[in-house]
Amino acid sequence: MSRHPLDNVRRFPQTCIWEITGSCNLDCLHCGNRAGERTGEDLSYEQMIRVADSLENLGCKMVDLTGGEPLLNPHWDSLARELTLRGMQVALITNGTLLNSSALERAIAAGVRVIAISVDGLQDVHDRLRVGLEPDVSPWKKSMDALSLALENVSTKVISQVNVFNLHQLADLRDLLREMGVLEWQLQLAIPTGRLQCRNEPEPYVLAPRHLDELTDFIVENAREGQPPFIDTSDSIGYYTAKEPFLRKRQAGQGVWLGCQAGIRSVAITYDGSVRGCSLMPAEFDAGNLHSETLEQIWQEEERFSFSTRFESSKLSGRCSRCRFGALCRAGCTTMAYWSTGSIYENPYCLMSQGET
Protein backbone atom coordinates (compact mmCIF):
# COMPACT_ATOMS: atom_id res chain seq x y z
CA MET A 1 0.00 0.00 0.00
CA SER A 2 1.36 3.45 -0.93
CA ARG A 3 2.13 5.98 1.78
CA HIS A 4 -0.37 8.71 2.53
CA PRO A 5 0.79 12.30 1.87
CA LEU A 6 0.51 13.08 5.60
CA ASP A 7 3.02 10.31 6.31
CA ASN A 8 5.62 12.37 4.47
CA VAL A 9 5.23 15.65 6.37
CA ARG A 10 7.19 16.60 9.45
CA ARG A 11 4.95 16.05 12.43
CA PHE A 12 4.81 19.10 14.72
CA PRO A 13 1.98 21.23 16.18
CA GLN A 14 2.07 24.03 13.66
CA THR A 15 -1.24 25.32 14.99
CA CYS A 16 -2.77 25.15 18.44
CA ILE A 17 -6.37 25.78 19.42
CA TRP A 18 -6.27 26.68 23.10
CA GLU A 19 -9.46 26.88 25.12
CA ILE A 20 -8.22 29.17 27.90
CA THR A 21 -11.46 29.22 29.89
CA GLY A 22 -14.62 27.19 30.27
CA SER A 23 -16.59 30.28 31.28
CA CYS A 24 -18.87 32.18 28.92
CA ASN A 25 -21.32 35.07 29.12
CA LEU A 26 -23.65 33.45 26.56
CA ASP A 27 -25.66 30.24 26.60
CA CYS A 28 -25.37 29.17 22.95
CA LEU A 29 -27.58 26.31 21.82
CA HIS A 30 -24.80 24.68 19.82
CA CYS A 31 -21.80 25.04 22.14
CA GLY A 32 -19.58 22.03 21.52
CA ASN A 33 -17.63 22.69 24.72
CA ARG A 34 -20.72 23.22 26.88
CA ALA A 35 -19.09 26.42 28.09
CA GLY A 36 -20.14 27.40 31.58
CA GLU A 37 -20.59 23.76 32.60
CA ARG A 38 -17.19 23.37 34.22
CA THR A 39 -16.07 19.88 35.14
CA GLY A 40 -12.30 20.08 35.72
CA GLU A 41 -9.52 22.08 37.27
CA ASP A 42 -8.40 25.14 35.33
CA LEU A 43 -4.78 25.55 34.37
CA SER A 44 -3.14 28.22 36.49
CA TYR A 45 -1.39 31.13 34.82
CA GLU A 46 1.96 29.64 35.77
CA GLN A 47 0.99 26.37 34.09
CA MET A 48 -0.14 28.24 30.98
CA ILE A 49 3.25 29.95 30.73
CA ARG A 50 4.93 26.54 30.90
CA VAL A 51 2.64 25.40 28.08
CA ALA A 52 3.67 28.48 26.09
CA ASP A 53 7.28 27.42 26.56
CA SER A 54 6.40 23.93 25.36
CA LEU A 55 4.64 25.24 22.27
CA GLU A 56 7.73 27.26 21.43
CA ASN A 57 9.96 24.22 21.95
CA LEU A 58 7.74 22.13 19.67
CA GLY A 59 7.84 24.73 16.89
CA CYS A 60 4.26 25.97 17.04
CA LYS A 61 3.60 28.88 14.68
CA MET A 62 -0.01 29.92 15.34
CA VAL A 63 -2.20 29.85 18.44
CA ASP A 64 -5.95 30.49 18.53
CA LEU A 65 -7.10 31.60 21.98
CA THR A 66 -10.70 30.57 22.48
CA GLY A 67 -13.08 29.29 25.16
CA GLY A 68 -15.76 29.59 26.41
CA GLU A 69 -15.26 33.29 26.01
CA PRO A 70 -11.50 33.96 26.22
CA LEU A 71 -11.97 37.54 27.43
CA LEU A 72 -13.31 36.10 30.70
CA ASN A 73 -9.89 34.71 31.53
CA PRO A 74 -8.21 37.50 33.53
CA HIS A 75 -4.83 36.61 32.00
CA TRP A 76 -5.87 36.43 28.34
CA ASP A 77 -3.79 39.41 27.18
CA SER A 78 -0.77 38.48 29.33
CA LEU A 79 -0.83 35.00 27.79
CA ALA A 80 -1.20 36.46 24.30
CA ARG A 81 1.82 38.67 24.96
CA GLU A 82 3.92 35.75 26.18
CA LEU A 83 3.02 33.68 23.12
CA THR A 84 3.87 36.61 20.86
CA LEU A 85 7.23 37.07 22.56
CA ARG A 86 7.94 33.40 21.83
CA GLY A 87 7.43 33.98 18.12
CA MET A 88 3.89 32.70 17.66
CA GLN A 89 1.09 34.45 15.81
CA VAL A 90 -1.92 34.81 18.10
CA ALA A 91 -5.57 34.97 17.09
CA LEU A 92 -8.38 35.79 19.50
CA ILE A 93 -11.62 33.85 18.85
CA THR A 94 -14.46 35.68 20.59
CA ASN A 95 -18.24 36.00 20.55
CA GLY A 96 -17.60 39.75 20.39
CA THR A 97 -20.00 40.84 23.11
CA LEU A 98 -17.19 41.83 25.48
CA LEU A 99 -14.86 43.29 22.86
CA ASN A 100 -14.96 47.02 23.59
CA SER A 101 -12.32 49.62 22.80
CA SER A 102 -10.40 48.87 26.01
CA ALA A 103 -10.23 45.13 25.30
CA LEU A 104 -9.22 45.84 21.71
CA GLU A 105 -6.38 48.09 22.85
CA ARG A 106 -5.19 45.36 25.22
CA ALA A 107 -5.30 42.81 22.41
CA ILE A 108 -3.27 44.96 20.03
CA ALA A 109 -0.75 45.82 22.77
CA ALA A 110 -0.36 42.09 23.48
CA GLY A 111 0.49 41.41 19.84
CA VAL A 112 -2.76 39.72 18.80
CA ARG A 113 -2.55 39.49 15.01
CA VAL A 114 -6.12 38.44 14.20
CA ILE A 115 -9.48 38.82 15.89
CA ALA A 116 -12.18 36.39 14.82
CA ILE A 117 -15.77 37.15 15.80
CA SER A 118 -18.61 34.63 15.67
CA VAL A 119 -21.62 35.77 13.65
CA ASP A 120 -24.18 33.05 13.03
CA GLY A 121 -26.72 34.90 10.92
CA LEU A 122 -28.75 38.06 10.85
CA GLN A 123 -30.10 39.37 14.14
CA ASP A 124 -33.18 37.16 14.42
CA VAL A 125 -31.25 33.93 13.93
CA HIS A 126 -28.06 34.92 15.75
CA ASP A 127 -29.91 35.97 18.90
CA ARG A 128 -31.97 32.79 18.79
CA LEU A 129 -28.84 30.63 18.71
CA ARG A 130 -26.39 32.67 20.82
CA VAL A 131 -28.60 33.28 23.80
CA GLY A 132 -27.66 36.26 25.93
CA LEU A 133 -27.77 36.12 29.70
CA GLU A 134 -28.87 39.76 30.01
CA PRO A 135 -32.56 40.47 29.36
CA ASP A 136 -33.40 42.81 26.49
CA VAL A 137 -29.78 42.92 25.26
CA SER A 138 -29.07 41.69 21.74
CA PRO A 139 -25.84 39.66 21.48
CA TRP A 140 -25.94 40.27 17.73
CA LYS A 141 -25.86 44.05 18.10
CA LYS A 142 -22.97 43.88 20.55
CA SER A 143 -21.06 41.51 18.28
CA MET A 144 -21.63 43.69 15.23
CA ASP A 145 -20.45 46.76 17.15
CA ALA A 146 -17.31 44.82 18.07
CA LEU A 147 -16.86 43.75 14.46
CA SER A 148 -17.03 47.35 13.26
CA LEU A 149 -14.52 48.40 15.90
CA ALA A 150 -12.09 45.57 15.16
CA LEU A 151 -12.23 46.11 11.40
CA GLU A 152 -10.91 49.64 11.88
CA ASN A 153 -7.90 48.54 13.92
CA VAL A 154 -6.70 44.97 13.30
CA SER A 155 -6.94 42.07 10.86
CA THR A 156 -10.43 40.71 11.43
CA LYS A 157 -12.38 37.67 10.29
CA VAL A 158 -15.88 36.34 10.85
CA ILE A 159 -16.69 32.75 11.75
CA SER A 160 -20.16 31.36 11.05
CA GLN A 161 -21.42 27.95 12.08
CA VAL A 162 -23.82 26.78 9.37
CA ASN A 163 -27.03 25.08 10.51
CA VAL A 164 -30.65 24.69 9.42
CA PHE A 165 -31.58 28.11 10.77
CA ASN A 166 -29.02 30.19 8.91
CA LEU A 167 -28.38 28.23 5.70
CA HIS A 168 -30.85 30.38 3.77
CA GLN A 169 -29.44 33.61 5.25
CA LEU A 170 -25.91 33.11 4.00
CA ALA A 171 -26.29 35.30 0.92
CA ASP A 172 -27.79 38.16 2.93
CA LEU A 173 -25.15 37.76 5.61
CA ARG A 174 -22.40 37.81 2.95
CA ASP A 175 -23.80 41.06 1.56
CA LEU A 176 -23.81 42.62 5.03
CA LEU A 177 -20.24 41.52 5.73
CA ARG A 178 -19.13 42.80 2.34
CA GLU A 179 -20.68 46.18 3.07
CA MET A 180 -18.83 46.30 6.40
CA GLY A 181 -15.50 45.54 4.74
CA VAL A 182 -14.94 41.99 6.03
CA LEU A 183 -12.29 40.24 3.91
CA GLU A 184 -12.24 36.73 5.43
CA TRP A 185 -15.23 34.61 6.38
CA GLN A 186 -14.91 31.09 7.75
CA LEU A 187 -17.82 28.71 7.28
CA GLN A 188 -18.05 25.51 9.31
CA LEU A 189 -20.77 22.96 9.85
CA ALA A 190 -22.60 22.63 13.13
CA ILE A 191 -21.38 19.33 14.58
CA PRO A 192 -23.74 17.22 16.73
CA THR A 193 -21.70 17.41 19.92
CA GLY A 194 -21.85 19.27 23.23
CA ARG A 195 -25.19 20.90 23.93
CA LEU A 196 -26.62 19.71 20.62
CA GLN A 197 -26.60 16.19 22.04
CA CYS A 198 -28.89 17.34 24.83
CA ARG A 199 -31.48 19.17 22.74
CA ASN A 200 -34.99 17.83 23.29
CA GLU A 201 -36.60 19.98 20.63
CA PRO A 202 -38.11 18.09 17.68
CA GLU A 203 -36.82 20.68 15.20
CA PRO A 204 -33.44 19.70 13.71
CA TYR A 205 -30.43 21.96 14.11
CA VAL A 206 -27.55 20.25 12.30
CA LEU A 207 -27.73 20.25 8.50
CA ALA A 208 -28.58 16.94 6.88
CA PRO A 209 -26.06 15.64 4.32
CA ARG A 210 -28.56 16.42 1.56
CA HIS A 211 -28.09 20.13 2.31
CA LEU A 212 -24.40 20.03 1.40
CA ASP A 213 -24.95 20.75 -2.27
CA GLU A 214 -26.82 23.96 -1.50
CA LEU A 215 -24.10 25.10 0.89
CA THR A 216 -21.20 24.22 -1.37
CA ASP A 217 -22.87 25.74 -4.44
CA PHE A 218 -22.94 28.99 -2.48
CA ILE A 219 -19.25 28.68 -1.56
CA VAL A 220 -18.21 27.88 -5.13
CA GLU A 221 -20.27 30.76 -6.50
CA ASN A 222 -18.58 33.11 -4.07
CA ALA A 223 -15.12 31.78 -5.00
CA ARG A 224 -15.79 32.24 -8.71
CA GLU A 225 -17.10 35.75 -8.10
CA GLY A 226 -13.75 36.63 -6.57
CA GLN A 227 -15.05 39.38 -4.30
CA PRO A 228 -14.73 39.69 -0.53
CA PRO A 229 -15.51 38.31 1.87
CA PHE A 230 -13.34 35.39 0.77
CA ILE A 231 -14.69 32.17 2.24
CA ASP A 232 -12.39 29.91 4.23
CA THR A 233 -14.08 26.51 4.07
CA SER A 234 -13.60 24.47 7.22
CA ASP A 235 -12.37 20.88 7.20
CA SER A 236 -15.91 19.62 7.83
CA ILE A 237 -17.06 20.54 4.30
CA GLY A 238 -16.11 18.64 1.10
CA TYR A 239 -14.81 16.31 -0.52
CA TYR A 240 -13.42 15.20 -3.92
CA THR A 241 -16.06 16.33 -6.36
CA ALA A 242 -15.37 18.93 -9.06
CA LYS A 243 -16.12 21.57 -6.40
CA GLU A 244 -13.13 20.58 -4.25
CA PRO A 245 -10.55 23.04 -5.69
CA PHE A 246 -12.96 25.91 -5.07
CA LEU A 247 -13.80 24.75 -1.54
CA ARG A 248 -10.09 24.68 -0.65
CA LYS A 249 -9.35 27.88 -2.53
CA ARG A 250 -6.90 30.24 -0.84
CA GLN A 251 -5.56 33.57 -2.01
CA ALA A 252 -2.38 31.77 -3.11
CA GLY A 253 -4.34 29.31 -5.23
CA GLN A 254 -6.54 26.25 -5.09
CA GLY A 255 -6.08 23.17 -2.96
CA VAL A 256 -7.40 19.72 -2.22
CA TRP A 257 -8.38 17.84 0.92
CA LEU A 258 -5.63 15.48 2.09
CA GLY A 259 -7.06 14.14 5.32
CA CYS A 260 -7.44 15.34 8.90
CA GLN A 261 -4.24 16.87 10.32
CA ALA A 262 -5.31 16.77 13.99
CA GLY A 263 -2.47 15.24 15.97
CA ILE A 264 -0.15 15.63 12.99
CA ARG A 265 0.11 19.38 12.39
CA SER A 266 -2.39 20.67 14.96
CA VAL A 267 -3.11 20.25 18.66
CA ALA A 268 -5.90 21.38 20.96
CA ILE A 269 -5.77 22.22 24.65
CA THR A 270 -8.86 22.45 26.87
CA TYR A 271 -9.25 24.87 29.77
CA ASP A 272 -8.61 22.05 32.26
CA GLY A 273 -5.44 20.89 30.54
CA SER A 274 -6.60 17.98 28.40
CA VAL A 275 -4.66 17.63 25.16
CA ARG A 276 -6.42 16.50 21.99
CA GLY A 277 -5.82 16.52 18.30
CA CYS A 278 -9.00 18.55 17.75
CA SER A 279 -10.93 20.64 20.26
CA LEU A 280 -14.29 18.98 19.54
CA MET A 281 -13.12 15.40 19.93
CA PRO A 282 -14.60 13.47 22.88
CA ALA A 283 -12.64 12.66 26.02
CA GLU A 284 -11.83 9.14 24.83
CA PHE A 285 -9.47 10.74 22.29
CA ASP A 286 -7.55 12.69 24.93
CA ALA A 287 -3.82 12.17 24.63
CA GLY A 288 -2.94 13.32 28.12
CA ASN A 289 -3.38 16.11 30.67
CA LEU A 290 -1.09 19.02 31.42
CA HIS A 291 -1.68 18.80 35.16
CA SER A 292 0.44 15.65 35.20
CA GLU A 293 2.67 15.82 32.08
CA THR A 294 4.34 18.35 29.85
CA LEU A 295 3.05 19.06 26.38
CA GLU A 296 6.35 17.77 24.98
CA GLN A 297 5.85 14.40 26.68
CA ILE A 298 2.32 14.09 25.36
CA TRP A 299 3.03 15.23 21.80
CA GLN A 300 6.19 13.23 21.27
CA GLU A 301 4.43 9.91 21.89
CA GLU A 302 2.65 9.92 18.57
CA GLU A 303 0.76 6.72 19.30
CA ARG A 304 -1.36 8.78 21.68
CA PHE A 305 -2.78 10.40 18.52
CA SER A 306 -3.18 7.07 16.75
CA PHE A 307 -6.57 8.05 15.30
CA SER A 308 -4.55 10.05 12.76
CA THR A 309 -0.94 8.90 13.07
CA ARG A 310 -2.00 5.25 12.77
CA PHE A 311 -5.08 5.64 10.60
CA GLU A 312 -6.08 2.27 9.14
CA SER A 313 -7.77 2.68 5.78
CA SER A 314 -8.77 -0.99 5.84
CA LYS A 315 -11.28 -0.09 8.58
CA LEU A 316 -13.21 2.37 6.40
CA SER A 317 -16.88 1.47 6.42
CA GLY A 318 -20.12 2.38 4.69
CA ARG A 319 -19.78 4.43 1.54
CA CYS A 320 -16.29 5.51 2.60
CA SER A 321 -15.12 1.92 2.18
CA ARG A 322 -16.39 1.88 -1.41
CA CYS A 323 -15.12 5.32 -2.40
CA ARG A 324 -12.11 5.42 -4.71
CA PHE A 325 -10.76 8.35 -2.67
CA GLY A 326 -11.30 6.67 0.69
CA ALA A 327 -7.67 5.93 1.53
CA LEU A 328 -6.66 9.50 0.65
CA CYS A 329 -9.63 11.27 2.24
CA ARG A 330 -9.62 9.23 5.48
CA ALA A 331 -13.36 9.82 5.93
CA GLY A 332 -13.02 13.59 5.85
CA CYS A 333 -13.32 15.53 9.09
CA THR A 334 -12.59 13.05 11.88
CA THR A 335 -14.70 14.96 14.40
CA MET A 336 -17.74 15.09 12.13
CA ALA A 337 -17.33 11.42 11.25
CA TYR A 338 -17.22 10.38 14.89
CA TRP A 339 -20.11 12.50 16.15
CA SER A 340 -22.38 11.61 13.23
CA THR A 341 -21.69 7.84 13.07
CA GLY A 342 -19.77 6.86 16.22
CA SER A 343 -16.82 5.86 14.06
CA ILE A 344 -13.85 7.75 12.61
CA TYR A 345 -14.00 5.47 9.57
CA GLU A 346 -17.36 6.54 8.12
CA ASN A 347 -18.66 10.03 7.34
CA PRO A 348 -22.00 10.76 5.64
CA TYR A 349 -21.14 14.47 5.44
CA CYS A 350 -19.41 14.15 2.09
CA LEU A 351 -20.35 15.45 -1.33
CA MET A 352 -19.28 12.14 -2.85
CA SER A 353 -21.79 10.30 -0.66
CA GLN A 354 -24.62 12.27 -2.24
CA GLY A 355 -24.04 10.40 -5.52
CA GLU A 356 -22.60 7.14 -6.69
CA THR A 357 -18.95 6.57 -5.90
Side-chain angles (χ1 to χ4, degrees):
M1 179 179 175
S2 60
R3 288 171 59 84
H4 190 276
L6 291 178
D7 295 332
N8 298 318
V9 301
R10 181 170 72 89
R11 182 177 171 270
F12 76 104
Q14 181 178 25
T15 61
C16 172
I17 299 176
W18 192 345
E19 175 189 318
I20 62 172
T21 180
S23 299
C24 192
N25 63 320
L26 299 182
D27 188 25
C28 302
L29 300 183
H30 58 269
C31 183
N33 296 328
R34 298 181 182 177
E37 303 168 32
R38 307 178 73 166
T39 58
E41 181 184 356
D42 290 19
L43 291 175
S44 68
Y45 181 64
E46 291 72 21
Q47 287 174 309
M48 289 194 291
I49 294 303
R50 288 197 289 271
V51 174
D53 289 336
S54 295
L55 287 170
E56 180 184 16
N57 293 338
L58 291 168
C60 184
K61 305 298 183 186
M62 296 168 284
V63 181
D64 291 345
L65 298 182
T66 181
E69 170 49 51
L71 295 180
L72 289 175
N73 184 309
H75 307 295
W76 68 267
D77 55 333
S78 296
L79 178 59
R81 182 177 297 106
E82 292 297 331
L83 291 166
T84 299
L85 289 172
R86 287 161 175 76
M88 286 165 268
Q89 295 185 19
V90 178
L92 186 67
I93 315 295
T94 173
N95 63 41
T97 60
L98 302 178
L99 187 67
N100 54 27
S101 57
S102 175
L104 183 61
E105 289 176 6
R106 289 168 62 187
I108 294 172
V112 171
R113 297 284 296 275
V114 177
I115 290 181
I117 297 175
S118 298
V119 181
D120 286 338
L122 302 181
Q123 183 174 356
D124 59 332
V125 168
H126 182 95
D127 285 352
R128 177 179 180 179
L129 307 182
R130 293 187 172 268
V131 181
L133 301 181
E134 302 177 66
D136 303 320
V137 174
S138 166
W140 186 86
K141 287 184 177 179
K142 298 187 78 169
S143 296
M144 297 307 285
D145 287 345
L147 179 58
S148 296
L149 181 65
L151 283 167
E152 295 176 358
N153 294 279
V154 67
S155 179
T156 305
K157 66 186 290 186
V158 168
I159 300 176
S160 299
Q161 184 208 72
V162 185
N163 53 71
V164 297
F165 297 105
N166 64 19
L167 176 62
H168 303 305
Q169 284 194 347
L170 292 180
D172 290 335
L173 180 56
R174 173 199 58 198
D175 293 344
L176 174 61
L177 299 181
R178 179 176 294 168
E179 181 180 341
M180 294 181 70
V182 174
L183 297 180
E184 187 175 357
W185 183 23
Q186 180 176 312
L187 295 182
Q188 56 194 43
L189 293 180
I191 295 177
T193 182
R195 291 204 182 113
L196 290 182
Q197 293 178 307
C198 305
R199 283 172 56 86
N200 296 318
E201 300 177 29
E203 193 172 10
Y205 187 102
V206 178
L207 293 182
R210 67 177 182 276
H211 293 132
L212 289 175
D213 273 324
E214 180 179 350
L215 171 60
T216 53
D217 283 346
F218 171 77
I219 296 172
V220 170
E221 174 191 357
N222 199 77
R224 285 175 167 159
E225 191 179 73
Q227 296 185 41
F230 301 105
I231 294 177
D232 178 7
T233 309
S234 78
D235 293 350
S236 59
I237 303 171
Y239 314 88
Y240 288 105
T241 65
K243 299 177 184 178
E244 184 66 17
F246 296 97
L247 299 181
R248 308 290 159 215
K249 184 174 177 59
R250 300 292 185 269
Q251 293 186 11
Q254 297 175 341
V256 66
W257 172 257
L258 290 175
C260 175
Q261 297 192 34
I264 297 175
R265 296 300 284 271
S266 66
V267 69
I269 302 170
T270 69
Y271 75 91
D272 61 358
S274 294
V275 177
R276 302 169 178 170
C278 173
S279 61
L280 290 180
M281 285 180 165
E284 49 262 46
F285 286 89
D286 286 357
N289 192 283
L290 296 168
H291 284 295
S292 56
E293 298 179 278
T294 67
L295 184 58
E296 288 98 332
Q297 289 173 314
I298 296 169
W299 179 264
Q300 287 166 0
E301 293 186 25
E302 65 176 63
E303 62 272 15
R304 299 195 192 196
F305 302 88
S306 60
F307 66 90
S308 61
T309 61
R310 302 284 192 275
F311 190 90
E312 299 180 55
S313 297
S314 61
K315 292 185 177 181
L316 289 169
S317 59
R319 294 184 68 89
C320 291
S321 67
R322 303 189 297 273
C323 179
R324 64 184 181 274
F325 298 109
L328 184 61
C329 179
R330 294 183 168 183
C333 171
T334 300
T335 301
M336 178 58 90
Y338 179 86
W339 286 115
S340 58
T341 68
S343 167
I344 68 171
Y345 293 104
E346 181 179 356
N347 187 354
Y349 282 85
C350 171
L351 291 173
M352 289 291 289
S353 70
Q354 305 311 297
E356 291 300 321
T357 59

